[in-house]
Amino acid sequence: MRSLLLFLLIVPNLLAQDRKVDATWLHRYVPGLREHAGSLAFWTCHYKPIFGEGDTDNRILRTVTRFGEATVDAHGSCQTALYDREEEIYFVLQGNGALHYGEQTYAMHANDFTYLPPGVKHAMENSSEKVLRVLIMAFRIPPSISIHAAMPRPQIVNLDDLKEETVEGHPTSVLYKLLVGPRSGKRDAIDQAYVVTSLFWMNFAPGGTNFPHHHETAEEIYLVLHGAGEMVAGSGLDGIEGRYPAKAGDAYYFRPNCTVGFYNQNKPGAEAHILAVRSRIPLPADAD
């Protein structure tokens, strides 16, 4: 009788676990997230995972290995890192700092961004009296992709120096700045990436939208930097898009084929700015 009771208690739980499926999209509110003692953390460097490494749902990400925010105390620094088959992008959200790239050091300021190739040791340092906040994005490079020699020095670009533009096939109610793209491209400020297909900044006019859409072979992350509106994430069996209130600090991860989009508030003077990154997922040919 006791064995039967145990069976009746355990089996339903096991079946329930088997029925659990991975989410098609994830949402995080960055100001409410906790720090994590990950590979970048140091006494004076505090890493807050948003997606990927350090996050509870990191298993569903395909190419993104980490997407998070590092806060560096005044005169502090982060751990030196080196990845053989990962590429990274740093975007300075606040403050001024120094990027250690190989044996050289380069100044970085608010709204600066740079691409960090695999095989180069690097670290961020804060030489100022104020806090430094850096958005860190890292992506896994499949074994099938050949790694080329790294550039001797990083290309550092400031967002404010880039021109806004419309993108063919997209509504004119959104203006784009094209930050980072693939090595084969020529349209972005930095064209050096292996698996990142686009890091871009969107400026939504009042009532503007980039139209809900999906990407069959890419995963994507949206981070709302300014303003508020409605984020489109997934859709139901009826084909109607899912809309969710979104404000500055909201971050969304979208799996391949997940419906994604954004609607800005339709009122005079309403502005919304989103930083987005897209990376291609490993295809069968990319497998070991």
Side-chain angles (χ1 to χ4, degrees), residues 136-205:
I136 296 176
M137 298 163 266
F139 308 85
R140 184 181 302 106
I141 301 173
S144 64
I145 296 180
S146 299
I147 303 295
H148 300 267
M151 299 290 287
R153 58 181 297 162
Q155 186 177 352
I156 299 173
V157 182
N158 191 276
L159 178 70
D160 299 334
D161 293 334
L162 300 182
K163 181 182 178 181
E164 290 184 332
E165 58 184 289
T166 57
V167 174
E168 185 178 355
H170 292 70
T172 57
S173 61
V174 183
L175 295 177
Y176 294 79
K177 290 187 178 185
L178 307 177
L179 282 59
V180 178
R183 297 172 60 84
S184 58
K186 294 182 178 180
R187 70 170 192 172
D188 302 270
I190 301 176
D191 291 313
Q192 297 181 22
Y194 292 93
V195 296
V196 172
T197 58
S198 187
L199 172 70
F200 54 101
W201 181 89
M202 294 181 284
N203 179 10
F204 292 81

Side-chain angles (χ1 to χ4, degrees), residues 45 51 63 78 85 88 96 101 110 132 143 160 202 208 228 242 246 265 287:
C45 179
F51 303 114
T63 298
C78 295
R85 300 203 65 86
E88 287 188 295
N96 301 301
Y101 182 94
L132 170 67
D160 299 334
M202 294 181 284
Q265 299 177 90

